[in-house]
Amino acid sequence: MTATATPTTPQSVGSPSATTIRRRRDPRGGVLTAITWILAIGFFFPVLWMVLTAFKQESDAATNPPTFFFTPTLQQFRNVFDAGIGTPLLNSLCATVVSTILVLLLGVPAAFALSLRPVRKTKDALFFFISTKMLPIVAAIIPLYVIVGKLGMLDNVWTLIILYTAMNLPIAVWMMRSFFLEVPGELLEAASIDGASLWTAVREVILPLISPGIAATALICVIFSWNEFFFAVNMTAVNAQTMPVFLTGFMSGQGLYWAQLSAASVLTALPVVVCGWIAQNKLVRGLSFGAIK
């Protein structure tokens, strides 16, 4: 009677199992992971503390050492709305949305002309755009204030719209140009061979490919415009007051109202957080890679 040989699997011959491989991994990976989590928590903790403080009474918010256990309340949010948050909120929304739309309407054609259809002296044009960011804002505020005053547009939300558009346009052109450069030029040639006009090719082929870049650029413009303080505090008073200027009203000679300031800060940051959450699916680069094999 002959014995039947038992087939051996590669793992029975001596190859290490998955558990053994995991044990042999470099332990420094776990240390780096722990450090990453500590840094992430450290960066996020101030935001978490601001949200917690917004639900405290002023007496609990001003204690030293800080109070970790308290009874949550919505009184501070009521106080913020009673302080007249409506007008600054509408002004910030108007200035941010309109200026961002204007930046995209002006920046997309400019970026296209400087990338897929380059114009003469492209480098000079790009340098001109970025050179407008080299001058500190504080150095230009006096002539701007005089010009705006002569035009009778002080404390006017349209002044902020114009300034925010000029402030964000150079960055938007540079950002969107980098996305346009990722699109293969052969796509325009293929569209023209198929009989599509330049506008049709851009609208139907190019813009869908760079939609993540447009979304990222729009989000950057929204953040910069929404958080802008220097222009707003110098060019506005009451009628065109924005949210960052509104927050300074909670700092008085009697001290800081920490709970109310935290509640107002939460309401101020919420629209930007919502915009980022909505646009998160679009914030992916490299959509055009591999379009032409």
Side-chain angles (χ1 to χ4, degrees):
M1 186 174 181
T2 59
T4 304
T6 303
T8 58
T9 62
Q11 185 166 338
S12 63
V13 173
S15 61
S17 62
T19 305
T20 305
I21 293 176
R22 283 195 294 267
R23 288 176 180 175
R24 291 180 181 178
R25 287 179 178 175
D26 192 348
R28 291 178 296 180
V31 176
L32 291 177
T33 302
I35 294 175
T36 302
W37 274 103
I38 293 174
L39 291 176
I41 294 173
F43 280 110
F44 180 72
F45 182 77
V47 179
L48 176 62
W49 189 252
M50 177 186 70
V51 175
L52 292 177
T53 306
F55 292 93
K56 293 181 179 180
Q57 296 287 353
E58 289 293 346
S59 57
D60 295 328
T63 58
N64 189 14
T67 301
F68 290 93
F69 301 99
F70 57 92
T71 302
T73 178
L74 296 175
Q75 184 60 42
Q76 308 309 327
F77 292 95
R78 299 190 191 98
N79 294 338
V80 171
F81 281 100
D82 292 339
I85 194 177
T87 299
L89 181 61
L90 290 177
N91 290 333
S92 289
L93 286 174
C94 180
T96 300
V97 173
V98 176
S99 65
T100 301
I101 293 175
L102 291 177
V103 166
L104 294 180
L105 290 177
L106 297 173
V108 170
F112 177 78
L114 295 171
S115 56
L116 294 180
R117 289 296 177 92
V119 297
R120 294 179 58 187
K121 298 184 178 180
T122 297
K123 294 183 179 180
D124 295 340
L126 289 172
F127 178 78
F128 170 75
F129 279 120
I130 202 64
S131 65
T132 59
K133 305 298 295 182
M134 298 179 183
L135 180 68
I137 298 179
V138 68
I141 191 63
I142 294 179
L144 285 175
Y145 186 88
V146 173
I147 294 173
V148 172
K150 292 291 184 181
L151 295 175
M153 294 185 65
L154 288 174
D155 201 16
N156 191 319
V157 70
W158 281 103
T159 300
L160 297 181
I161 291 174
I162 296 172
L163 292 175
Y164 292 172
T165 302
M167 175 184 70
N168 292 326
L169 186 57
I171 299 176
V173 170
W174 274 76
M175 285 186 62
M176 286 188 290
R177 180 177 179 270
S178 65
F179 285 98
F180 272 113
L181 290 175
E182 292 180 356
V183 179
E186 289 82 353
L187 288 177
L188 281 177
E189 297 178 3
S192 63
I193 292 175
D194 292 337
S197 63
L198 178 60
W199 168 243
T200 302
V202 172
R203 186 182 71 250
E204 300 294 338
V205 179
I206 304 301
L207 291 183
L209 289 176
I210 66 164
S211 58
I214 295 177
T217 303
L219 184 60
I220 292 295
C221 293
V222 166
I223 293 174
F224 286 172
S225 299
W226 186 268
N227 294 331
E228 201 283 323
F229 176 77
F230 193 75
F231 283 141
V233 76
N234 286 284
M235 298 294 182
T236 66
V238 178
N239 297 327
Q241 186 183 66
T242 59
M243 288 300 296
V245 180
F246 175 74
L247 293 179
T248 61
F250 298 96
M251 296 181 290
S252 64
Q254 300 176 352
L256 292 177
Y257 293 90
W258 287 109
Q260 291 187 34
L261 181 60
S262 298
S265 300
V266 170
L267 294 175
T268 301
L270 189 60
V272 178
V273 174
V274 172
C275 289
W277 180 77
I278 294 175
Q280 63 179 341
N281 293 331
K282 288 289 185 180
L283 301 181
V284 179
R285 301 193 59 177
L287 187 62
S288 61
F289 286 153
I292 298 294
K293 297 294 184 180

